[in-house]
Each structure stands twice: as structure tokens, then as C-alpha cells.
Amino acid sequence: MIIRKTPAEIELMNRANEIVHLVHDEMRAMLAPGVSTLDLDRRAEEVVRDHGGIPAFLGYNGFPATLCTSINDVIVHGIPSAEQKLEEGDIIGIDCGVFFKGYCGDSAVTLGVGEISEEARHLLDVTEASLDRAIEAVRPGSHVSDIGHAVQTWVEAHGLTIVRDFVGHGIGSAMHEDPQIPNFGEPGRREKLKPGMVLAIEPMVNVGSAGVKVDADGWTARTADGSLSAHFEYSVAVTERGSRVLGTVPERLSATA
Ligand code: MG
Ligand code: MG
């Protein structure tokens, strides 16, 4: 069942996502060769708590950190570590979830450390733009599957591959609610979107094949072929007239709603 949120609940979720985006800004400023992913995580936790938030990932099914830090061939769920230091040319996915007054925000970005390869730049640009295409598909009356269709069409037209093993999700007082939101599929299927729904939309895109392998730590999910992978995510509310990316920019008015 998809739980629709009241305007007051959406304001709390907006605040939760603002805190997540503050974390992203702080991480962006810290990225440099030699910085460890544990350094990033410690600072992220401080930023979250300083703003009255609670790290949502910390302790989730035993996950040990505030951030997921996913470098190069890691798709998602990388665990911050003191031994893992950033290197020039790396790309790093930084995913963060925050509870604020009982409501969750969830957003991810993938960033380059210093100069990155053309291949990596293409991957980041296409993946970020696919999230934008997905958000354009969000309005009352469109369908859950229109989101994944928009992502898939964009990504495949640019020669890259959709990860199918992980999906986006509804979000609210729980981090993961209905519906599941795959990043692929036919348009016009599944539930119709209604105002008050909030969706965490999160394309995960590989340069190579779609295969995934998980490390012995039980979390770190990598591309099976070792190719680069990127991940971007926003929490997006369906509004009466279109959509609103929570924690970032003003409501977008849909041309057709
Ligand atoms: Mg996330
Ligand atoms: Mg998510």
C-alpha cells in the first residue's frame, strides 16, 4: 500500500532532505586524495546530528555507518573505512539517509575526486540526467513504471547499462515503503501517482554489463565486470500540479497535469 503524506509530513521530509543535501555539500568540499571514507562518514554524522537529524542508515539491518560510500566499481552500499583513502580520478557515490522528527530523507550523489576520465564524466552526466528525466515523469496520473521507463530510455540511448538488482522506493516514516521503483520497464504500468506520495528515485548505472556481485562483508555491491558505476537519488513528492524534489529546488510544474 502506498502511504500518502499530509502537507505537514512533507515539510518534515523536506527538512530531512535539506539535512541530507547539507551533508552532500560538506562531502563535496572535503573530497581530495588521501581523505578516507571514514573521515567523510564521521563528518557526515556530525552534520546530521548538528541539524537535529538522526542517521537513518546507521544500524539499519546492522549497517555500521551514516553514509554509504561507493567508489568506482562499487554500485551501492560501500562501507566507510579508515583504510580506504580517496585517489585522484576516483568517483565516489555518497548516499545518505536522515530521520528528522520521525520522517526520512534519502538522497545520493556521485562525485569525482580531482580530474576524472572522460568515461567517468560521461557516466556521471548520463546518470544524473536520467534522474532528471525520471522526475519529469512524476505528476498526478502518471504511473510508477513511467519513472523507470524514462530512466531506461535515457541511459540506454547513451550506451550505458541499468542495474536491475536494486530499485527505488516509497519513503515516509519508514525509509523503505511501497512502491518499489525499478529503473527500467514499460510505460503505463502499475500504480497511478497521486498527490502526497513521496518516492525515492535512484538510478544506478554501469559502464559495462548489468551484473552485480556482493563482497564478503554482505553489503558492498560491485559491478561483476569491474566497470565503473554511478548512483544519483532524490526524494520526490507528487504534488497537485507536478512534483517537488524535497530539500533542493522549488516545485516543478508539469506541462500536462
Ligand atoms: Mg539512498
Ligand atoms: Mg533510497
Side-chain angles (χ1 to χ4, degrees):
M1 185 189 64
I2 305 179
I3 302 164
R4 296 165 71 183
K5 281 77 189 177
T6 66
E9 289 174 312
I10 287 175
E11 288 313 315
L12 294 175
M13 296 184 72
N14 190 62
R15 183 62 190 145
N17 280 286
E18 282 178 354
I19 297 168
V20 175
H21 295 132
L22 284 172
V23 169
H24 291 164
D25 289 345
E26 192 83 11
M27 298 299 102
R28 204 176 268 114
M30 278 181 75
L31 289 190
V35 172
S36 79
T37 49
L38 188 65
D39 295 333
L40 298 176
D41 192 71
R42 291 217 167 114
R43 179 65 189 136
E45 182 170 356
E46 278 178 4
V47 172
V48 170
R49 295 196 190 280
D50 284 352
H51 290 83
I54 297 170
F57 297 173
L58 187 61
Y60 183 84
N61 291 334
F63 191 80
T66 294
L67 299 178
C68 295
T69 50
S70 302
I71 294 180
N72 295 336
D73 64 322
V74 178
I75 303 166
V76 286
H77 304 162
I79 300 174
S81 136
E83 284 76 51
Q84 184 180 52
K85 299 212 164 54
L86 299 178
E87 294 179 18
E88 176 83 13
D90 280 345
I91 59 170
I92 178 170
I94 296 175
D95 193 357
C96 184
V98 167
F99 278 102
F100 182 76
K101 296 189 177 173
Y103 288 86
C104 196
D106 186 9
S107 176
V109 288
T110 302
L111 303 167
V113 181
E115 287 289 309
I116 61 173
S117 67
E118 253 178 62
E119 179 183 68
R121 174 48 55 198
H122 178 67
L123 172 67
L124 266 51
D125 289 348
V126 170
T127 308
E128 187 168 22
S130 78
L131 176 55
D132 211 57
R133 298 286 90 71
I135 293 164
E136 284 173 4
V138 175
R139 56 180 167 265
S142 68
H143 291 255
V144 168
S145 74
D146 296 340
I147 296 167
H149 183 70
V151 173
Q152 182 180 16
T153 304
W154 184 262
V155 166
E156 292 180 352
H158 290 84
L160 300 174
T161 308
I162 300 285
V163 174
R164 292 168 179 256
D165 296 54
F166 302 102
V167 297
H169 49 96
I171 185 166
S173 56
M175 183 159 60
H176 295 128
E177 297 184 351
D178 287 340
Q180 291 201 349
I181 308 170
N183 292 299
F184 57 91
E186 297 300 315
R189 310 276 169 85
R190 306 199 29 225
E191 301 87 340
K192 272 194 180 180
L193 302 183
K194 295 177 180 163
M197 292 179 177
V198 184
L199 310 170
I201 303 172
E202 47 181 317
M204 288 152 269
V205 175
N206 298 348
V207 168
S209 63
V212 174
K213 60 180 183 190
V214 177
D215 285 1
D217 62 22
W219 286 104
T220 308
R222 299 176 187 273
T223 59
D225 63 4
S227 68
L228 293 177
S229 186
H231 176 214
F232 286 82
E233 176 179 28
Y234 278 133
S235 299
V236 182
V238 185
T239 65
E240 295 290 340
R241 299 172 297 177
S243 67
R244 177 181 174 198
V245 177
L246 297 182
T248 55
V249 294
E251 179 181 16
R252 297 176 184 220
L253 301 185
S254 160
T256 54

